Amino acid sequence: MAQGDIGPAARLVAGDPAILPSENFGVLRLRRQIINPYTYAGILLTSRMDTDGGYNRAYGLDGIFRLFGDDYLTVNWAQTFDREQAKPDPVLNHAMLRLNW
């Protein structure tokens, strides 16, 4: 059976809305063993929202794949979205991909 990790997961509300504008932050990390004991895939989600309708959201996908012997492939993808983006951007805007063998 595959092994997995959940965490850290956090939610933080900063500020008192009666005094100052507040913000809400959230983070979630999931990772799971797949294929063999040396191979993992995961996801990271973050969110930041304020009382004025502003937000920033980010997600990331990652994987460490043991191909054979001591050869590993590491894959990372991350992308962000925020209120300042006037319209949906193509997939590759505000994004990063990293591959390492």
Side-chain angles (χ1 to χ4, degrees):
M1 180 129 165
Q3 299 293 317
D5 298 322
I6 298 176
R11 180 175 176 263
L12 171 70
V13 177
D16 180 354
I19 300 170
L20 294 171
S22 67
E23 294 184 310
N24 186 328
F25 300 90
V27 177
L28 176 66
R29 169 72 171 142
L30 303 172
R31 186 176 85 157
R32 185 156 179 93
Q33 178 184 326
I34 59 172
I35 303 172
N36 62 49
Y38 309 102
T39 301
Y40 292 89
I43 185 169
L44 175 70
L45 305 168
T46 67
S47 175
R48 177 182 176 209
M49 297 181 294
D50 64 30
T51 55
D52 296 328
Y55 66 89
N56 181 280
R57 294 186 181 104
Y59 75 93
L61 305 171
D62 65 298
I64 301 171
F65 303 93
R66 184 176 183 184
L67 303 177
F68 46 87
D70 289 333
D71 286 340
Y72 289 83
L73 174 64
T74 303
V75 179
N76 304 101
W77 169 268
Q79 188 169 18
T80 63
F81 305 91
D82 61 36
R83 184 175 75 171
E84 303 303 318
Q85 293 170 250
K87 59 182 178 179
D89 287 335
V91 171
L92 296 179
N93 285 356
H94 306 281
M96 184 182 88
L97 172 66
R98 183 181 76 154
L99 300 171
N100 185 27
W101 185 330

